Every structure is written in C-alpha cells, then in structure tokens.
Amino acid sequence: MSSPALQSVKKLVQNGSRLRLPPLPSPRDLINLYKLRAKKQLSQNFLLDKRLTDKIAKAAGAIKDGDVCEVGPGPGSITRSILKRVPGRLIVIEKDPRFLPFLEMLQEASQERLKVVLGDILSVDMQKLFREDLRMQWDDRCPNIHLIGNLPFSVSTPLLIQWLRDISLRQNAWSYGRVRMTLTFQKEVAERIVAEANGRQRCRLSVMCQNWCDVKHVFTISGSSFVPPPDVDVGVVTLRPKIEPIIKEDFHLVEKVVRQMSTFRQKKCIRSAQTLFPPHVREEMAVKLLHLAEVNPDTRSFQLTLEEFKRLVSAFSYMCQDYPKLLKYQYGGNSNDKEFWENNESRDLDIGELLPGEKDMDVEEVRKL
C-alpha cells in the first residue's frame, strides 16, 4: 500500500456516534493479496461478512468512548465494525504475526485509536491495559470496558474458565470492575453455557458460567459464513459478571465440586459424589455429603440446580474443616487412588467417625455457610 491509498487511509470522518473509515481493501482482498490461509493448528476461521461483524459489535452494547479489547482479530473484520462504533480505545491481541500488516493499516487509519498487541491471550495480563478513569467499584455499574472476540475453538473453553477465575478474584481485566464479554463459541458450547437445570446441554460449564455471570446466547451464525467454513455453527454469547456469585466459596473449591459432580451426567448423583473421596471411605462419605446438602441421591447430575450446587459446595467445605486432606484428593483412576493411599494422605479418615452422628451431620451448620 503506497502513496494515494495510504494517504486516504489516514483520513477519518467522524459523523455523530459512528466512525466512517476511508476506503480500504476489504479483509477478503487482503487475505487474497497476501495469499494467507487459515492455520488449522490455531483453529482459525475468519468471519468476513460485514453484516455479521457489525451485529457482533452491536451485541456488545454501547461502547462509544469506552475501551475495547478484541481477542484474535485476524484480518480485522470485527475490528472495523468495532471502530465504526467509536470506542475511545481499541486494543487487539493477536497471536499470529501474519496479520500485523492488516492491523497496522487499521492502526494508521484510526489515528492511533487502535493499539496492536502481539501475544497469546492465555498469557496476556490485562491488569494495566485500560484507562484508569474507566475503573469502577465492583458493586457499581459495569465500566465502559468490553472484551469482544471470535475465539478459536481450541482455546475458547480453557480461556473462559481462566477468565471466570479472574472474575472470582477480581483481577486481570476485572480489576477495573464488572467488565462485560461478547464472545463466539461453537454453537454446542454456547448452548452449554446458557443451559438450565434439566436441559439437554446442562454440564459443568453451565454451572461455572452462571455462578459468576449473567449469560445470554444472543444469536447463531451459520458455519458457512466463515472462511474456511467449520463443520459446526457458531453461537455469540454475552457474559456480564454478577455483583455476587450464587456460590461464594473459593473458585478452586467450587470448580472441584462442580467438576466431580458432573462426572457421570446420566447417572444418579450419588455416583458422581463418590469421586470426591478416596476409595476406602467413598460410599460412606458420598452419603454424608448428599445428606448435609439435602440433595436427593437419585437426582441426575444435569438436573442439579445452582442452589443445589451451592449446598453441595458448602457441605464439602464443611467436611473439609475436619478433614482438610480431602482437598488434596483427585479422582483419576486406580493409579492416582493408589498413590494417594500409599502416601498416607487419607489414612486419618476413619470410617467410623464419618458415619451419621450428632457432630458431623449438622445440616444447620452447613446452611449457615
């Protein structure tokens, strides 16, 4: 891109609440010009339809004059749609250096409104990324800061779990307050995120997301709209952190209980509960856990409500007060169980002490947690 084209790129026209970029080569033209192909190992699928990228940017809500962080901009299709909505600053985090020329072109066009960060979003610290004057108290309204991204399928779920942990600790981007997210997932994953108890897609991810965020599956995009087209459709989901989670316990404790209670989705939850405990006390302690949590042992894992998970986490936390080594136990098959046993990590768990009794079957104490 030389002289006349580059000069035209530098001219911006702002009209009301929208920003009109000067004539630029389309993302599709740039991809063809640079002979770029999506990398399968990076799970790249480009969304080039302007109507759909505009729809994603609109789904984020009012971003005018705010700070936006876009994850995985690639050729910059969604980036352009975000810029048109006139954010104060737009930071894009891209792992693939092949797209730097595309993004630097947009950076010039935006008169430095756009900042490009080359890096892996899984390791980028957003603690100092946004403007200080946008910072809000957690129980105040959400700050005018937004995370938007067409996430690679391979990292979407691990990244979301990592961000939920950050939300629970109010760190990373969430040190600025209840920063909202507008993200893409495989349609099936999007459906899991919003699935209610008894729903066909209800799973661990449903409980974790809904504990810390208000979630909404905004719309679905056909897989044929992407280049190259994936074998699945894509769901756009918004997540808004709650002022208070339903389950207020430590993130790792919640994740442990929810993960294990979701181990056998179609079986009675007493079977999943057993995976929280070492083999020699497994059956007795699972009975105790469900008794303390006032959960019917015949309930299937996908039928458990957030309130029931709250009682299960509280009950397990209560049991760990007397037997803290339970926190170290990880169900992982015979080898892990044997190693845990041989290291004497569970020998102080006396079956006789764990059977129903006045001291350790105090449902009222669990209710207070």
Side-chain angles (χ1 to χ4, degrees), residues 208-271:
M208 296 295 289
C209 290
Q210 292 168 34
N211 184 55
W212 278 283
C213 295
D214 296 319
V215 298
K216 182 178 180 182
H217 183 178
V218 188
F219 61 94
T220 299
I221 302 173
S222 169
S224 61
S225 300
F226 291 82
V227 178
D231 295 330
V232 295
D233 292 338
V234 172
V236 178
V237 178
T238 59
L239 301 99
R240 174 177 174 155
K242 298 177 185 287
I243 293 178
E244 289 287 347
I246 306 300
I247 310 170
K248 298 181 177 66
E249 299 280 356
D250 174 78
F251 178 86
H252 293 292
L253 180 63
V254 176
E255 197 277 333
K256 177 184 178 74
V257 173
V258 173
R259 171 172 26 91
Q260 296 310 133
M261 290 302 303
S262 305
T263 303
F264 302 105
R265 186 177 182 276
Q266 295 291 345
K267 294 185 178 180
K268 296 177 181 179
C269 68
I270 185 69
R271 177 68 185 90

Side-chain angles (χ1 to χ4, degrees), residues 18 20 29 44 64 98 113 132 172 184 186 204 209 247 257 279:
R18 295 183 66 81
R20 183 163 58 86
D29 289 340
Q44 290 177 337
K64 186 176 185 294
R98 297 181 302 161
R113 187 188 300 264
E132 280 298 313
N172 204 353
T184 63
Q186 292 184 52
R204 173 183 72 109
C209 290
I247 310 170
V257 173

